[in-house]
Amino acid sequence: MRWWTLHQLKARNSRTRLQAVEKLGESPGPEAIELLSGLVTDSEADVRRAVATALGRTRQDPAIEPLSTLLRDASAEVRQAAADALKLIAHPRTLPVLAAALKDPDATVRWHVVHALDALGWQPASETERAWHHVAKDDYARAAALGAPAIEPLTAVLQSGPFNKRIAAVEALSQIGDERVLKALLTALRCEDSAVRVAVVEALGRTGEARVLEPLVMVLKDPDHHVRAAAVSALNKLNHPRAVEPLTRMVKDPAWDVRLAAVQGLGRLKDPQATDALVATLRDRDSDVREACAVALGHLRDERAIGPLILALKDESSAIRQAAAAALQRIDPA
């Protein structure tokens, strides 16, 4: 029977090899482990995954080494199966193998690994391991509370996984006061998901640091208007005089929410250089933008805005007329 099993394990047809592996898993023993170990580098991921499952069923110590190899497999599904298989082998050698896999680049694999470790009663030996443990369980807040040791695992989340987990990682990273956090956030600005880019931009705005101004200005070219609007709002929070010129450009953005945020930012900065752009925007097609523009001109108190604001007193919107009247009162109280 052994010769027939060997024949099937070497078959060109992957389905035949898969059936042979599944057959070996039904009657695990030392010989089965030896045969299965020879297939950890099989060309087909489905076969390697079946090998991992079959090795786990043996529950024998000799299966740890081949499973360690499969835990580094190119296929995330194979690595998941290897983690689940190692959970079935209660041996001290299993723990360090699984602990190292907490740094797996795939979030789902990390989840399988951490639950295997918990099932085996593993305890982190350092703050770094503790941080990876928290992140693998999606407990980003507890990871962030550890400070610097959480930066690497949270950054790993930013590089892979669903957008909601990436956003949660951004929020957690922004709670850590460390120079390396800024680098991780700036790298995440290239994320393909616009919701993640919005979260990153908002986090950069909360830093209040002038050095994020240039990266935020670059984001003003983002193809997604939600990201551009977030960048404008972040620049507003920085309250930096160098933000006047880029914000002035954004009052012509095709998206009304971007124009609105730019106008509000210019009003907050109170720089007379923005007067001409704001005056022109008093004729914006969006009423919310026109109203914000009138309010902003009132903050600037530039007499050049008096004439255009008087014309705005005839706007069809009562809210805009009221905003224009209030702005004129601020510019010329007499």
Side-chain angles (χ1 to χ4, degrees), residues 37-240:
S37 298
L39 289 175
V40 296
T41 57
D42 190 274
S43 59
E44 294 295 327
D46 286 346
V47 175
R48 300 195 303 276
R49 183 176 57 194
V51 168
T53 301
L55 285 169
R57 288 175 182 168
T58 69
R59 299 177 182 265
Q60 299 296 312
D61 303 351
I64 295 175
E65 184 174 347
L67 283 172
S68 300
T69 299
L70 291 171
L71 200 56
R72 298 188 297 271
D73 195 89
S75 167
E77 292 184 353
V78 174
R79 299 198 300 276
Q80 291 172 31
D84 291 340
L86 283 165
K87 181 171 64 175
L88 302 175
I89 304 176
H91 190 280
R93 285 172 50 211
T94 304
L95 297 179
V97 172
L98 284 168
L102 280 173
K103 296 185 178 183
D104 192 280
D106 186 271
T108 304
V109 175
R110 293 195 296 269
W111 188 90
H112 281 258
V113 168
V114 77
H115 282 276
L117 285 167
D118 287 348
L120 293 170
W122 177 81
Q123 292 297 321
S126 66
E127 292 293 88
T128 298
E129 285 189 345
R130 194 176 305 280
W132 279 101
H133 182 264
H134 289 326
V135 168
K137 299 185 77 170
D138 298 334
D139 197 343
Y140 302 153
R142 291 183 68 183
L146 296 173
I151 295 175
E152 184 183 355
L154 288 171
T155 300
V157 176
L158 276 179
Q159 297 170 351
S160 66
F163 80 95
N164 59 320
K165 291 187 178 182
R166 295 188 186 196
I167 291 174
V170 169
E171 297 299 320
L173 279 167
S174 67
Q175 304 303 313
I176 303 174
D178 190 287
E179 187 77 17
R180 292 169 293 171
V181 169
L182 180 58
K183 181 179 179 181
L185 292 177
L186 292 177
T187 300
L189 282 175
R190 297 193 292 269
C191 179
E192 69 283 358
D193 193 294
S194 62
V196 176
R197 299 199 301 277
V198 167
V200 172
V201 166
E202 291 174 346
L204 290 173
R206 289 194 297 269
T207 66
E209 297 184 18
R211 58 182 174 162
V212 304
L213 188 145
E214 291 304 323
L216 288 174
V217 170
M218 294 299 296
V219 178
L220 295 177
K221 300 177 182 179
D222 195 280
D224 189 286
H225 72 97
H226 296 297
V227 180
R228 297 198 303 276
V232 169
S233 297
L235 285 170
N236 295 348
K237 291 180 181 179
L238 292 182
N239 200 27
H240 196 285

